[in-house]
Amino acid sequence: MIIHRRSMKRQFLIRQRDEYFQQHGGQLLSDMMKIDRNLEFTLYRQEDIEVATNNFDKNQIIGEGGQGTVYKGFIENIPVAIKRCKGMDESRRMEFGQELLILCRVNHDHVVKLLGCCLLFEVPILVYEFVPNKTLHDLLHGQDRRYYISLATRLRIAAESSQALGHLHSLARPILHGDVKSANILLGDNLIAKVADFGCSIIARMDEEALVAKGTVGYLDPEYLQSCKLTDKSDVYSFGVVLVELLTGKKPRCLVSMFQDAMKEGTVDELIDEEIINEDDLEVIYQVAELTSRCLTMPGDKRPAMSQVAQELRQFTELVRQRPDAVGDLIALREVDRSFTGTTDSTGYTRS
């Protein structure tokens, strides 16, 4: 009887895994992978994920948000970020595998690489490259902030992030992020920006606007809240909120209305982070503020495209870099925070 029960339990677990695999479009994904032999994408085993996350141990959680929980783990001695998705859209389950193939083909220096997935759990598990440093949110709002962040560094991170989003929007099947925020901009070696958490995002259909039920309060496009329809201009609005964070050093709660009012009244310099405001950079700061205001404008169709935002930010970054006494991409630490950078050499950090 014991052997029989064990056998029945094993068969049930196998059937359950097969059901999950089919529900998430795994068979279609597997068939398409056989056709495209050059595809760098891995279908991980259930055991791989359980071992890497220590059965989803809370102590291995490195991030949590509306779209899922992220764990740090090792697969074949390689550090990876393992995301357990939340809130799968039932109507799109069968398309999920096909969409993963599109996502894994995204190859951009400033987008976190999707390495593979596991579709043998109740919800999809996505495996990404691991980005070693913390997030832009941590850099700006960390509890133990002991460092000065130069204007050049802020503009560079903004430019790199907007390039990534512009790339996603420009694909043959545009990818709408849907949850752009400073916590989803990771910082790699040398504080290189990498946009993350787009694996459960919406791949826009060319013939209709996309519906989505995700996002973060403070970053959400007001038009989305009214229509529940996500567009590329929704991402532009959310990125505009990130730009306000970079300019002011403040968290986004109620920040947009304060910023827009200050722009109308000509008092925006009172909101700018005192660490970056100086005579030499004032003109560039005002230009960035004007661009930020356009990103936040209503109605949404008056906002610039993300590619335009990226182009202007690149120009502003170059203007600051060309200034003779510019700090450039350096961050002058008041006290070296090794828990953030790990080194003071390769990241371009200098003691103040």
Side-chain angles (χ1 to χ4, degrees):
M1 286 294 293
I2 293 173
I3 294 173
H4 176 70
R5 287 175 180 172
R6 287 177 178 172
S7 176
M8 292 292 290
K9 185 176 181 180
R10 281 197 300 271
Q11 291 177 26
F12 170 77
L13 292 174
I14 291 172
R15 284 197 305 271
Q16 189 179 56
R17 288 195 302 184
D18 288 342
E19 287 175 5
Y20 290 149
F21 189 75
Q22 297 297 332
Q23 287 173 6
H24 301 319
Q27 189 58 56
L28 177 60
L29 174 62
S30 181
D31 292 342
M32 294 181 71
M33 288 177 64
K34 291 176 183 177
I35 296 173
D36 189 350
R37 296 288 184 179
N38 296 321
L39 192 65
E40 295 182 1
F41 191 74
T42 302
L43 286 176
Y44 292 97
R45 300 175 305 163
Q46 184 177 17
E47 294 78 8
D48 295 332
I49 304 301
E50 290 173 340
V51 170
T53 63
N54 194 20
N55 289 315
F56 300 103
D57 187 345
K58 291 182 179 180
N59 293 324
Q60 291 185 228
I61 293 177
I62 56 174
E64 196 160 10
Q67 294 191 2
T69 303
V70 183
Y71 302 79
K72 181 182 179 181
F74 288 83
I75 298 180
E76 296 181 353
N77 294 322
I78 297 174
V80 292
I82 299 172
K83 179 176 179 181
R84 192 177 192 175
C85 289
K86 290 181 182 177
M88 270 297 294
D89 183 349
E90 294 294 331
S91 66
R92 303 191 72 188
R93 277 185 181 272
M94 289 305 296
E95 300 176 31
F96 190 72
Q98 186 174 4
E99 294 190 352
L100 282 181
L101 284 182
I102 296 172
L103 294 173
C104 77
R105 287 190 174 98
V106 175
N107 188 17
H108 192 277
D109 289 342
H110 302 299
V111 174
V112 175
K113 181 67 176 174
L114 179 63
L115 303 176
C117 69
C118 179
L119 304 178
L120 302 175
F121 293 88
E122 185 176 0
V123 295
I125 306 295
L126 306 180
V127 181
Y128 294 94
E129 66 169 312
F130 179 74
V131 181
N133 291 321
K134 296 184 180 181
T135 68
L136 177 58
H137 184 274
D138 295 321
L139 183 66
L140 292 172
H141 313 300
Q143 292 181 351
D144 191 17
R145 188 166 179 259
R146 301 194 295 270
Y147 30 81
Y148 159 79
I149 312 164
S150 71
L151 177 63
T153 296
R154 298 183 196 212
L155 290 179
R156 179 180 56 78
I157 291 172
E160 291 170 352
S161 304
S162 59
Q163 288 172 36
L165 292 168
H167 176 73
L168 295 176
H169 289 181
S170 69
L171 297 173
R173 290 191 64 188
I175 297 173
L176 308 181
H177 191 287
D179 196 16
V180 177
K181 57 184 178 181
S182 57
N184 282 339
I185 297 174
L186 306 186
L187 301 173
D189 293 332
N190 301 316
L191 296 187
I192 297 299
K194 285 181 175 281
V195 173
D197 208 15
F198 67 97
C200 291
S201 300
I202 294 295
I203 297 178
R205 294 168 172 81
M206 300 305 292
D207 58 346
E208 63 177 336
E209 292 174 307
L211 293 177
V212 69
K214 303 295 181 185
T216 301
V217 175
Y219 297 88
L220 283 171
D221 178 7
E223 286 193 347
Y224 158 72
L225 292 174
Q226 295 172 355
S227 66
C228 289
K229 290 182 179 178
L230 184 74
T231 69
D232 58 336
K233 296 303 178 70
S234 303
D235 280 352
V236 173
Y237 179 92
S238 299
F239 185 74
V241 179
V242 174
L243 288 178
V244 179
E245 282 185 87
L246 285 165
L247 285 173
T248 66
K250 296 177 172 61
K251 294 183 179 180
R253 189 171 183 176
C254 301
L255 190 57
V256 170
S257 58
M258 291 171 55
F259 177 82
Q260 292 291 61
D261 288 345
M263 287 294 292
K264 292 176 184 176
E265 296 166 5
T267 58
V268 72
D269 54 323
E270 296 177 8
L271 283 178
I272 302 301
D273 192 337
E274 62 182 15
E275 289 187 348
I276 62 171
I277 194 164
N278 63 66
E279 291 290 332
D280 295 321
D281 291 331
L282 270 180
E283 184 58 35
V284 173
I285 289 172
Y286 289 148
Q287 291 181 61
V288 176
E290 191 275 332
L291 171 62
T292 301
S293 183
R294 284 190 280 133
C295 291
L296 301 170
T297 195
M298 300 286 285
D301 58 11
K302 292 186 176 180
R303 298 168 195 156
M306 190 58 74
S307 57
Q308 177 65 29
V309 176
Q311 180 182 346
E312 293 188 36
L313 284 172
R314 283 197 300 270
Q315 293 171 351
F316 298 147
T317 303
E318 288 304 315
L319 283 174
V320 173
R321 281 177 173 167
Q322 290 169 10
R323 186 163 54 77
D325 60 337
V327 179
D329 282 344
L330 301 184
I331 292 181
L333 295 180
R334 296 192 184 94
E335 179 181 347
V336 176
D337 182 0
R338 296 186 182 277
S339 68
F340 190 90
T341 66
T343 176
T344 57
D345 298 322
S346 62
T347 58
Y349 277 56
T350 57
R351 292 184 183 274
S352 59

